[in-house]
Amino acid sequence: MKRFVKKALLLGIMFVFMIPINAKAYTTYKGHKMSSGIGNYGKSTKFYWVDSSASTYSTKIANAFDRWTYSTKYAGITTPISYRKTTNKSASTVDIYKVQSIGIGIVGQTMFFVNQTKVDPSVQNWYWSKIELSESLLSKFPQYQQVTISHELDMHLG
């Protein structure tokens, strides 16, 4: 009986891992996306800028971008994304800030812009994004820092 259970369990696990998974590296909001694209690894690079207020998260921000840029290494999915940190804010397509609080229960938010006008990404394309990270919540729950930063970056990328 133990042998049967082991074989059934092994067969079940093998079946689960054989099911194809449909993954998209770059999704959009109702067809809308960042106007200038997400860079093209080896051909064109986009830049992100980290405000001094968010410098305590620099390593986690870099990790989040690296996971996208080098997604083949982590998830086995090739993406064309190419991002590097810049000290020139005007060159960036995403700016990252730490704020004291955003709202009740909100640990991070991404806002989308065309020039200096905030836009709804489900209605139109955007040129750049601003990410705000809530210090009041992330300091209380450090285990959510990396996942929050990665999630907000995912929002920016569309």
Side-chain angles (χ1 to χ4, degrees):
M1 184 66 170
K2 283 184 182 181
R3 251 184 157 167
F4 175 76
V5 172
K6 284 181 182 179
K7 284 183 180 181
L9 184 60
L10 181 61
L11 191 59
I13 290 170
M14 287 175 49
F15 178 73
V16 167
F17 285 106
M18 290 174 54
I19 297 172
I21 298 172
N22 184 13
K24 293 184 180 179
Y26 185 47
T27 57
T28 61
Y29 297 92
K30 295 184 180 177
H32 299 287
K33 58 188 175 184
M34 189 167 57
S35 294
S36 61
I38 57 173
N40 191 348
Y41 190 76
K43 295 181 182 164
S44 67
T45 300
K46 298 294 179 183
F47 297 96
Y48 68 94
W49 177 81
V50 180
D51 184 69
S52 61
S53 65
S55 64
T56 55
Y57 302 126
S58 288
T59 299
K60 290 179 176 152
I61 292 166
N63 288 344
F65 275 103
D66 282 352
R67 285 199 173 265
W68 267 101
T69 302
Y70 305 110
S71 59
T72 303
K73 175 181 174 183
Y74 298 104
I77 300 168
T78 303
T79 59
I81 187 171
S82 184
Y83 265 83
R84 298 288 176 262
K85 185 177 181 180
T86 184
T87 56
N88 181 2
K89 183 179 176 183
S90 64
S92 73
T93 58
V94 59
D95 300 346
I96 304 167
Y97 296 84
K98 177 173 68 176
V99 296
Q100 183 54 39
S101 180
I102 299 168
I104 298 172
I106 301 173
V107 292
Q109 70 176 354
T110 302
M111 296 164 286
F112 305 87
F113 293 86
V114 170
N115 298 320
Q116 297 305 311
T117 304
K118 190 174 172 183
V119 299
D120 179 348
S122 67
V123 175
Q124 71 178 81
N125 294 343
W126 61 93
Y127 294 153
W128 67 280
S129 301
K130 178 181 180 180
I131 294 174
E132 292 181 339
L133 303 169
S134 171
E135 171 64 15
S136 62
L137 288 174
L138 290 177
S139 64
K140 289 179 188 175
F141 303 102
Q143 68 272 27
Y144 297 120
Q145 291 174 0
Q146 185 67 66
V147 71
T148 298
I149 292 166
S150 296
H151 170 75
E152 295 307 327
L153 171 59
D154 186 45
M155 299 301 293
H156 158 73
L157 294 171

